[in-house]
Structure formats: C-alpha cells, structure tokens
Amino acid sequence: MALFLFLLLVAVVLGFVGVLAKGLFYLLLIGVLVALVAFLYVGVRIRRSGRRPTR
C-alpha cells in the first residue's frame, strides 16, 4: 500500500509541474502514466490476495 501511495504522490506532483510549468506538458503525460501503473499495481495485488489456496 505504501508503494501505491508513493506512486500516486509522484503522479500528482508530476502532473502539477507539467500543468504549471510552461513547455513541460510531457511531465503531465508521465504523471498520468505513473498513476495508471499505480492503479494497475493495486488491482493486481487485490486480485492475487483475494484467492484462497486450494487443498
């Protein structure tokens, strides 16, 4: 969970810098990409932990 929050924080910071700084639109795109990776990471972890081992 800490990794997810860290990635989300990085995505938000990159997004703000990309919007506020002139000519750094690519940082906004990188921030969106990092956010997508964070959500995919959490989705995979939830999916794996939801299964019970079979006997």
Side-chain angles (χ1 to χ4, degrees):
M1 188 62 148
L3 180 62
F4 168 71
L5 292 175
F6 175 72
L7 287 174
L8 205 55
L9 179 68
V10 168
V12 169
V13 169
L14 285 174
F16 278 137
V17 171
V19 169
L20 297 177
K22 188 175 182 178
L24 294 179
F25 181 71
Y26 68 93
L27 285 179
L28 175 63
L29 297 178
I30 292 172
V32 169
L33 183 66
V34 170
L36 288 175
V37 168
F39 285 118
L40 287 174
Y41 171 74
V42 168
V44 168
R45 283 202 52 175
I46 288 173
R47 184 179 233 184
R48 283 187 188 169
S49 67
R51 295 182 183 169
R52 294 182 181 173
T54 58
R55 292 184 179 180

